[in-house]
Amino acid sequence: MVKNIEYIAYRKLKGINIEFSPNVNIIAGTNGTCKTSILHTVSNSFQTVKSTDGRLLEKKSVSILKQLNKLSNPKIETLTRGDKEFNDPAQETKGTLYTTTYNDESKLSFRKHNSSTSEKKRFAVKPQYKAGENESLPAMPTIYLGLFRLFSYGEFESDDLISNITAKLPTEYQEELAKLYKDFTTYAIDFEQIKNMGKIKNRPEFKTDISGIDSNTISAGEDNLFIILTALVSLKYYYKSINSTNETESILMIDEIDASLHPEFQIKLLQLFMKYSENYKIQILMTTHSLSLIEFALEHKQFCKTIYLLDQKNSVNQLEDVDKYTINMLLKNTTRQEIQLHNKIPVMTEDDEARFFLNLLFEHYKNINEGRSIEQYFHLVNANFPSEAIVNLVNDDYLLKSTMRTINILDGDQSNKANLNKQLITLPGDKSPEEIIFNHAMKLSTMPDSSFWSNDLLINDGYTFVFFERNIKDKIDNIDNTITQLKQENKSTKGVKRDLNKKLFNEYIIFWKFILKNWIEDLDNEFEINKFYKNLRILFLKTADFHGINSNSWVIINGQ
């Protein structure tokens, strides 16, 4: 296997070291990031296993493998060409272009070897053997499936170049290949022949159990799928025909794995690759632009490594911390802000006062977290919901797990109903926002010398200690007096206090903002403020992925 390749200069691969997994490697990046060039250099790092190799238990496996797969152990000069002006892959670079490290920690460096004829100009990349070291390329089967595999049989006009391939897999592997193909397509196939389409590709001839469907009428994706499965089963056959002593015994490379394949096939193939790679020691490398494939690979990091390359115009860099949100952003050539502009978690609250409280909490958390905002992740639904309605919604398991991936916040006086498993929390404090504000205002009224009353911004808006004493304090007292009087008269008090609170709140809303900010910053309430922050983050982590938000974007600072 290839453990890593350190590139000095090869096309845009300059001063970059790429490490590979012994299992499955996903190479992604925008066009022009040398993804295919990496496959070329890997293939160039090995030679064909000879039939005289002492590891072979079944010598014919090597020739069968080579005949069934169009490109086995191809070298760079057969995979790429210079243009009319002789496109040097490493201009102004002499000596080593890259160094390959193998799984046994041995290394080989490679250099340019240019050649020219009267008909064409081309370059090759050859190993630099050290004098007296008796070095050689390691022998390992490598199958390269380039985009030529997508060429349609119906569009191939050179009938003279089509010939039959006599080599066949042993019966048990033919049956395995047929079973795999049926698992993907539902077609039960009966092999007839493998066709050699000149220098383009090898493709199967088969019939199916469905009238009108055969190897000539299947879709390009189904044809592509069969070629990939054939390569995979061929390498299993090779593994079974040798005395295995290495961590890796073969390499499969596929350029643009997602080309012509439905996302369902892509994911199913990746699952198959993980199984075959682990069981039959196949190192698999593929290039892709498929977000669904990358996302699946990132969820199975123990078997798949994702290598993402960043285009820097004249060179490429490797993305260090790979996650699906960053890759989604980069592949779409946009910014995280633009993507997350429309990706927000809906937050259900009881009323305007609750949202007023929340916005001030967001502002507070931003101030103590070095300017990092969490407000950007949430959409406060501009609708009022009675606490009973919110509780009923979160108790509907179907809604909670499907369409209602919301964060639900009740007022503090409903704390006995909080349930993190139901995505339901309560605001800080043990009362409604209005009562918290009014009570804190009354507390501050007993402290006329408090720095709160000397706030220039408060004074500039006309809210002085004297103004509060003369215009607001009595109105707060009158709310409780009205409720007491209604009770004495045996009249209903349902909703009265709430309505009076809201009326007073809206009358002096600018003043209440100063009051509530002071309550939030009061050290006596620090525990409640921090508890709400932690609970909100727990619900964020539970719902972020559903709404396309990177859960790692909530950065913890100062233990928060």
Side-chain angles (χ1 to χ4, degrees), residues 276-318:
Y276 273 63
S277 174
E278 184 74 13
N279 293 340
Y280 311 117
K281 298 185 179 181
I282 307 170
Q283 185 179 33
I284 301 175
L285 299 90
M286 67 191 82
T287 68
T288 188
H289 295 107
S290 170
L291 285 172
S292 57
L293 194 65
I294 294 169
E295 287 182 8
F296 188 85
L298 290 171
E299 292 170 1
H300 297 80
K301 291 183 178 180
Q302 68 272 35
F303 298 109
C304 301
K305 177 171 185 178
T306 301
I307 300 165
Y308 191 89
L309 301 172
L310 299 166
D311 189 358
Q312 304 294 352
K313 191 175 181 179
N314 294 319
S315 63
V316 295
N317 291 342
Q318 188 174 350

Side-chain angles (χ1 to χ4, degrees), residues 86-89 111-116 122-126:
F86 189 71
N87 188 8
D88 191 328
R111 60 177 177 79
K112 285 184 290 187
H113 180 82
N114 301 335
S115 64
S116 178
R122 58 192 289 178
F123 66 85
V125 179
K126 303 289 186 180

Side-chain angles (χ1 to χ4, degrees), residues 209-234:
D209 59 341
I210 300 176
S211 178
I213 297 180
D214 56 29
S215 52
N216 287 342
T217 60
I218 57 174
S219 69
E222 291 166 335
D223 194 19
N224 178 25
L225 173 67
F226 192 91
I227 292 171
I228 294 171
L229 293 177
T230 299
L232 197 62
V233 174
S234 298

